[in-house]
Amino acid sequence: VIAIRQLGINSKQELEEQIQKIADERQNVLDQIRDIESKMGKLSETMEQVETIRKYRGHYKYNKANPNDENFAKEYSAELKLYTVASKAIIESYDSVPKSKDILKELDQFQEKKNTLMQEYSKSNDLFSELVQYKKNYENYMDKEVKRENIQE
């Protein structure tokens, strides 16, 4: 009871409201973490596409300059397809091919935000667990008091 009072909670209802508030905040932080992870996944895909374009750009340029070289087209058809797929994906999202350095910088920024949110989630989760335990202890205490009163009657 003393620990609950130190948190500024003066009734069971306030305790339950605080538990719900913490649960909502915790869920909100978790949603933000998932959103960041999704964005990081998309950026990782973009990074792979950029690297594919960089890797096979020479093949594509040669094939474009020499459209009659069927042997080259057959030999490097897989690489040319990878280049085409990657470039189409990039064109859908960007005006030009982004620089790897810029993507890495953005990934680092997202990672920093995620780390901060993970710490916030951990603290929130600890407080949630603590409040739930206080509630259980309070309920156990009240049950024992009711049993004592019933025995005394």
Side-chain angles (χ1 to χ4, degrees), residues 100-113:
S100 297
K101 177 176 70 172
D102 295 338
I103 295 171
L104 290 173
K105 182 178 178 183
E106 198 170 348
L107 278 170
D108 287 343
Q109 290 171 346
F110 279 132
Q111 188 62 50
E112 286 179 29
K113 287 179 187 177

Side-chain angles (χ1 to χ4, degrees), residues 55-105:
K55 186 175 181 180
Y56 299 122
R57 179 174 281 139
H59 293 79
Y60 176 78
K61 285 184 178 182
Y62 179 85
N63 190 52
K64 229 18 179 180
N66 301 293
N68 296 330
D69 190 346
E70 292 179 19
N71 289 333
F72 181 85
K74 285 180 186 176
E75 186 175 343
Y76 293 102
S77 65
E79 290 85 351
L80 293 169
K81 286 179 184 174
L82 286 171
Y83 177 90
T84 303
V85 169
S87 62
K88 282 182 182 178
I90 292 292
I91 288 171
E92 289 175 6
S93 301
Y94 298 91
D95 294 334
S96 62
V97 178
K99 295 178 182 176
S100 297
K101 177 176 70 172
D102 295 338
I103 295 171
L104 290 173
K105 182 178 178 183

Side-chain angles (χ1 to χ4, degrees), residues 11-124:
S11 69
K12 183 179 178 187
Q13 180 181 354
E14 286 180 11
L15 177 60
E16 289 172 349
E17 289 171 358
Q18 188 68 18
I19 288 171
Q20 186 59 48
K21 179 184 172 192
I22 296 297
D24 291 344
E25 289 173 0
R26 190 176 67 157
Q27 186 60 46
N28 183 34
V29 170
L30 193 58
D31 291 343
Q32 290 177 34
I33 290 169
R34 287 185 183 134
D35 183 50
I36 286 174
E37 287 174 341
S38 173
K39 289 176 182 177
M40 289 175 73
K42 289 176 185 175
L43 277 175
S44 294
E45 287 176 24
T46 299
M47 184 66 151
E48 287 179 29
Q49 292 161 344
V50 167
E51 288 304 308
T52 299
I53 289 170
R54 185 192 58 73
K55 186 175 181 180
Y56 299 122
R57 179 174 281 139
H59 293 79
Y60 176 78
K61 285 184 178 182
Y62 179 85
N63 190 52
K64 229 18 179 180
N66 301 293
N68 296 330
D69 190 346
E70 292 179 19
N71 289 333
F72 181 85
K74 285 180 186 176
E75 186 175 343
Y76 293 102
S77 65
E79 290 85 351
L80 293 169
K81 286 179 184 174
L82 286 171
Y83 177 90
T84 303
V85 169
S87 62
K88 282 182 182 178
I90 292 292
I91 288 171
E92 289 175 6
S93 301
Y94 298 91
D95 294 334
S96 62
V97 178
K99 295 178 182 176
S100 297
K101 177 176 70 172
D102 295 338
I103 295 171
L104 290 173
K105 182 178 178 183
E106 198 170 348
L107 278 170
D108 287 343
Q109 290 171 346
F110 279 132
Q111 188 62 50
E112 286 179 29
K113 287 179 187 177
K114 181 181 172 186
N115 290 345
T116 301
L117 288 171
M118 290 295 287
Q119 289 174 350
E120 187 178 324
Y121 179 81
S122 179
K123 288 177 186 176
S124 180

